[in-house]
Amino acid sequence: MPVILPGTTPDADIYCLTDSGLCLGRPTVDVVDAMLQAGARIIQYREKEKKAGEMLRECLELRRMTREAGACFIVNDHVDIAMLCDADGVHIGQDDLPVGEVRRLVGPDRAIGLSTHSPEQAMAAVAAGVDYIGVGPIFATKTKKDVCDPVGYAYLDWVVTHLDIPFVAIGGIKLHNIGEVAAHGARCCALVSEIVGAVDIVAQVQTVRRAMRGVAAAGTDSPQAG
C-alpha cells in the first residue's frame, strides 16, 4: 500500500504525534489506539525520554496497529528503530543525519520527512529528495525542547505559493487556531498536546477535524500539492 503523505488525501489532514509526558498517564499504545479509532491516518512516534529498547517494543506494536488500520506510521529521529519496526517512514530535523545518508539507510520506499523553518531550508529539502516537509513552528510551542522561534504565517504562505511538495504545518496548533492555519492553505496540521492531553481523544480528534474542515467547506481553496 502506498505511503500516506500529509495532505494528499482528505483524511490525511490530522497528523498525530505521541508524547508520553502529556497523555495523562495513559500508555502510548492506548493513546494511539484512540487516535486510530477517531480515523487518524498519520501517526508519528515522537518520544524523547525513553530508552531505545522500550521505544522499539512500542513501535513494533504501533506498527502492527497502524498497519491493521491502514494508517501511515512515522518514527521521529530514530532511523534504526524505523527500519527495525518496518515503519512507513522517518521524520528528521535540521541537525539530524543528512537526508542523503538517511535515504541510503531506509531505501527508496520509506518516506522521509524533514522539519523546515525557512524558504531556504525548504528548497534544500526538496533538492535533497525528501517526501514531505514540516512547516513551522507556526506558533510558540512547549512540547519540544530546543525549538526555534515561531515562523508565523509568512513562511506557511510562502510554502503554499511556491512549493508542490506535501507538507504538514506544526507548532502550537490548537483547536482555537487550526481553522486559521487551514485558511492559509495547510491541508494537514500536526497537533500534540491538544490531542494526547484530551480526556476523550476520539472526540477531540473529531472536533479538531471539524474545525479544520469547516474552513475548507467555507470555500478556502489555497493550493497544496498532494
Side-chain angles (χ1 to χ4, degrees), residues 84-126:
L84 288 168
C85 74
D86 196 23
D88 293 303
V90 61
H91 189 95
I92 56 177
Q94 290 292 317
D95 297 325
D96 293 324
L97 292 172
V99 171
E101 300 306 311
V102 174
R103 179 63 73 194
R104 285 179 58 197
L105 291 170
V106 304
D109 297 328
R110 287 193 180 91
I112 298 177
L114 177 65
S115 297
T116 66
H117 319 297
S118 69
E120 293 76 17
Q121 290 180 354
M123 289 187 291
V126 173

Side-chain angles (χ1 to χ4, degrees), residues 127-143:
V130 303
D131 297 282
Y132 75 93
I133 59 173
V135 174
I138 306 299
F139 310 108
T141 177
K142 297 180 180 179
T143 62

Side-chain angles (χ1 to χ4, degrees), residues 12-16 41-42 178 188-189 191 195 208-209 212:
D13 54 349
I14 303 297
Y15 188 115
C16 292
R41 300 298 305 280
I42 305 176
I178 195 170
C188 182
C189 293
L191 301 95
I195 290 178
V208 167
R209 177 167 274 156
M212 186 178 181

Side-chain angles (χ1 to χ4, degrees), residues 2-34:
V3 177
I4 302 169
L5 297 176
T8 58
T9 63
D11 56 356
D13 54 349
I14 303 297
Y15 188 115
C16 292
L17 293 89
T18 70
D19 189 323
S20 57
L22 299 173
C23 60
L24 309 180
R26 294 168 293 194
T28 299
V29 169
D30 292 351
V31 170
V32 172
D33 181 61

